[in-house]
Amino acid sequence: METKPPVPRAILVGVQLPGVDNVAHAADIEELGRLVSTLGYEVVGTISQKRDEIDGAMVLGKGRLEELAAITGGTGVVGSMAIPRKSKARERFEDADANKPNGRQKETDRQAPPKPKFVVVDHDISPSQARNLERATGAHVLDRTGVIVEIFHRHAHSREAKLQVEMARLTYVSPRLREAPGGGRQQGVGAGESNLELDRRKIRDRLAELKEQLEDIQRDNDQRRSTRRDQLRVALVGYTNSGKSSLMRALTGSEVLVADKLFATLDTTVRTLQPETKPRVLVSDTVGFIKKLPHDLVASFRSTLAEALEASLLLFVVDASDPTCESQLEVSRGVLREIGADVVPSRLLLNKIDRVSEAGRAALRAKHPDAIQLSAKSPEDAAALREMIIAFFEAAMVEDRLVLPYAKQGLLNVVYENARVLSEDYDTTGRIIKVRGLPDAIARLRTTLAAS
Ligand SMILES: Nc1nc2c(ncn2[C@@H]2O[C@H](COP(=O)(O)OP(=O)(O)OP(=O)(O)O)[C@@H](O)[C@H]2O)c(=O)[nH]1
Ligand SMILES: [Mg+2]
């Protein structure tokens, strides 16, 4: 029987900054633990410290650093005599597949003592802080962004998501590339230096190439989206793991991936609300949000989130059973503001309500009287949500009359797609169609029918 590669063990490091209370700090660390578990690592402990800022050479104070090093088997000091190590950032990213089944397995890994090999810091740290921590602990050091980038890398499926993730990854790795201290390379020191330069240049070239490819794909996507412009569209947005994809399934009957993982969904999926309405309503599932989401990742997923921007209604999903539900809500609102989607009408969905006690539900009701409490697992709740969506569009729709000239009968399907046809009549000018639809859609239809 094949032996499974050992599960990498990780230790978490958190710094509690002023203004962050114990509960919030514990929640941050808990979430980091879930991110690390999503990567497939086992979390074996946490070192946490209150500090005024994360500044200077070290992330932790001397005492805590020694404590950490004792766990990882490092020296606890940052000296040039500390264990000479290879470029960790490079090794880590080049060997990202080593822990996957059938991946390369290094001899040393097989015999490694069960000391945690990874130190994961719940903050963004500078490349030099990471290097110092690595020297002191003898472990690989990842920060929050590094973990998120790595999860994105593993979960990206579509070509677009893969390109976006590769860009984010290279942007993250580039400043962290460095030569091995003490000449760990085959080439001489001078050659090593130019290798580093070469690596950086290669990354720059690759980034430019990726940007071009991505722009091509995004142009196609923009076009596809613009043909959907006047259709009735809702987008599921919200914190990662809140149940967006589960609701997508419940509303559209599609088989999108649902998983108890962070960032299971990276691609936007668009499906029709079922049972189908006239005109049909399109529902999109989008990438989730998280606290301290790195800015370049938000930027690279901007086009994915363009779906949200163009929807008429945002279904803003929150995991009501999570103790940090309020802060999830704040974070999601922040991201929506950042991408300019805060002006889109939205409804708050307090999902996973099946896991909330009666008292908890009452408290949520008092706090969010306009929110819909529901469970993606309840078909009745999904049916009620569907009614709410339909009612939203009904309230926004107006009735109007369009004239489709006889020469343009080919455009009839466009009318049917973007509005509900109430009646059709004929006179000398053409087909007279009474429609009900969104005012913008009707205005655009009128222009389309009048043009050319
Ligand atoms: N009990 C309960 N579990 C739910 C409910 N909705 C979703 N879940 C579970 O929560 C986990 C995450 O659900 P997803 O639908 O994948 O969440 P998501 O928001 O799409 O997550 P990402 O794509 O990772 O951002 C899964 O294990 C679901 O089965 C619910 O209403 N009740
Ligand atoms: Mg999902």
Side-chain angles (χ1 to χ4, degrees):
M1 215 176 77
E2 244 181 78
T3 51
K4 273 201 204 154
V7 174
R9 291 152 66 87
I11 184 139
L12 310 182
V13 168
V15 174
Q16 188 175 350
L17 296 168
V20 179
D21 64 24
N22 291 347
V23 176
H25 180 63
D28 282 359
I29 297 293
E30 207 259 340
E31 181 172 270
L32 181 68
R34 294 213 293 147
L35 285 165
V36 170
S37 311
T38 294
L39 268 189
Y41 297 177
E42 183 191 349
V43 176
V44 294
T46 301
I47 296 276
S48 189
Q49 183 171 34
K50 278 192 179 160
R51 301 196 88 185
D52 286 341
E53 53 187 350
I54 305 172
D55 208 5
M58 296 311 300
V59 176
L60 291 170
K62 191 166 175 287
R64 278 295 153 88
L65 182 63
E66 282 168 5
E67 210 179 299
L68 174 64
I71 302 172
T72 56
T75 60
V77 289
V78 188
S80 54
M81 296 310 289
I83 319 165
R85 307 198 61 84
K86 273 188 165 184
S87 163
K88 285 300 155 205
R90 181 180 320 202
E91 197 179 295
R92 184 164 59 241
F93 283 92
E94 284 174 357
D95 283 358
D97 292 340
N99 292 319
K100 291 185 182 166
N102 309 323
R104 268 181 297 146
Q105 187 61 58
K106 278 179 272 158
E107 195 57 35
T108 46
D109 282 357
R110 240 173 260 148
Q111 298 156 1
K115 297 247 186 223
K117 265 178 61 179
F118 289 89
V119 166
V120 187
V121 184
D122 189 43
H123 299 270
D124 285 339
I125 54 174
S126 70
S128 71
Q129 285 171 327
R131 187 162 56 235
N132 288 339
L133 257 186
E134 288 186 342
R135 288 195 182 142
T137 59
H140 301 268
V141 171
L142 273 173
D143 62 8
R144 203 173 214 272
T145 303
V147 175
I148 294 174
V149 167
E150 201 50 41
I151 294 175
F152 274 45
H153 170 67
R154 296 207 191 159
H155 291 178
H157 296 296
S158 73
R159 196 166 124 73
E160 185 182 17
K162 281 186 175 150
L163 291 174
Q164 282 166 333
V165 172
E166 192 182 346
M167 275 184 86
R169 213 164 170 233
L170 288 177
T171 313
Y172 178 77
V173 172
S174 175
R176 288 165 175 80
L177 279 184
R178 58 183 179 269
E179 293 313 318
R185 290 196 150 211
Q186 289 136 355
Q187 292 94 342
V189 174
E193 241 178 62
S194 62
N195 269 350
L196 178 63
E197 283 305 305
L198 188 70
D199 284 350
R200 291 218 167 117
R201 208 191 55 229
K202 273 194 206 149
I203 288 183
R204 268 197 306 276
D205 291 350
R206 177 73 185 138
L207 277 173
E209 199 177 277
L210 286 169
K211 192 159 170 268
E212 242 169 61
Q213 292 177 5
L214 205 54
E215 278 167 3
D216 278 351
I217 296 184
Q218 287 172 349
R219 245 192 312 277
D220 286 353
N221 286 352
D222 287 349
Q223 239 155 33
R224 211 168 311 138
R225 267 204 316 277
S226 84
T227 63
R228 291 198 297 255
R229 185 173 50 190
D230 286 327
Q231 303 197 26
L232 311 185
R233 292 166 60 188
V234 299
L236 290 151
V237 294
Y239 214 75
T240 182
N241 207 50
S242 57
K244 300 176 296 299
S245 299
S246 304
L247 287 166
M248 176 80 176
R249 278 186 170 210
L251 289 172
T252 66
S254 64
E255 289 297 306
V256 292
L257 173 70
V258 167
D260 196 9
K261 281 183 180 173
L262 302 188
F263 301 112
T265 305
L266 290 186
D267 296 301
T268 299
T269 317
V270 183
R271 295 282 183 276
T272 308
L273 181 69
Q274 296 293 340
E276 214 169 308
T277 52
K278 272 187 186 165
R280 62 187 180 153
V281 175
L282 299 179
V283 186
S284 25
D285 185 15
T286 61
V287 62
F289 308 142
I290 197 162
K291 252 172 264 177
K292 308 177 198 166
L293 186 72
H295 268 83
D296 16 355
L297 276 188
V298 180
S300 63
F301 279 84
R302 205 173 283 269
S303 84
T304 319
L305 289 169
E307 288 291 341
L309 271 173
E310 291 171 11
S312 304
L313 173 66
L314 295 183
L315 299 176
F316 191 166
V317 189
V318 173
D319 177 350
S321 72
D322 192 296
T324 65
C325 141
E326 292 299 326
S327 84
Q328 292 192 3
L329 192 60
E330 271 321 297
V331 171
S332 307
R333 284 211 176 105
V335 181
L336 289 176
R337 249 196 318 273
E338 211 174 314
I339 61 166
D342 52 336
V343 292
V344 182
S346 67
R347 292 302 299 269
L348 181 59
L349 306 187
L350 298 170
N351 190 34
K352 307 198 191 180
I353 208 71
D354 52 299
R355 303 211 304 216
V356 179
S357 68
E358 255 324 311
R361 291 180 197 192
L364 284 168
R365 212 168 294 127
K367 188 143 199 191
H368 305 286
D370 296 333
I372 300 170
Q373 301 194 357
L374 83 172
S375 165
K377 307 217 170 209
S378 150
E380 295 77 40
D381 287 359
L385 179 59
R386 178 177 175 275
E387 290 308 316
M388 185 283 284
I389 294 170
I390 294 171
F392 170 85
F393 284 114
E394 276 306 326
M397 283 187 207
V398 293
E399 282 180 22
D400 213 332
R401 186 173 158 277
L402 295 169
V403 181
L404 181 64
Y406 288 115
K408 292 185 186 166
Q409 295 306 307
L411 291 174
L412 187 60
N413 67 327
V414 181
V415 177
Y416 269 86
E417 229 169 47
N418 295 293
R420 182 184 315 141
V421 174
L422 302 175
S423 67
E424 288 184 36
D425 230 323
Y426 305 88
D427 70 10
T428 50
T429 51
R431 201 188 288 239
I432 311 297
I433 312 172
K434 250 182 91 181
V435 292
R436 188 170 166 79
L438 296 181
D440 279 0
I442 292 182
R444 230 177 320 253
L445 274 177
R446 194 182 299 287
T447 318
T448 310
L449 302 191
S452 70

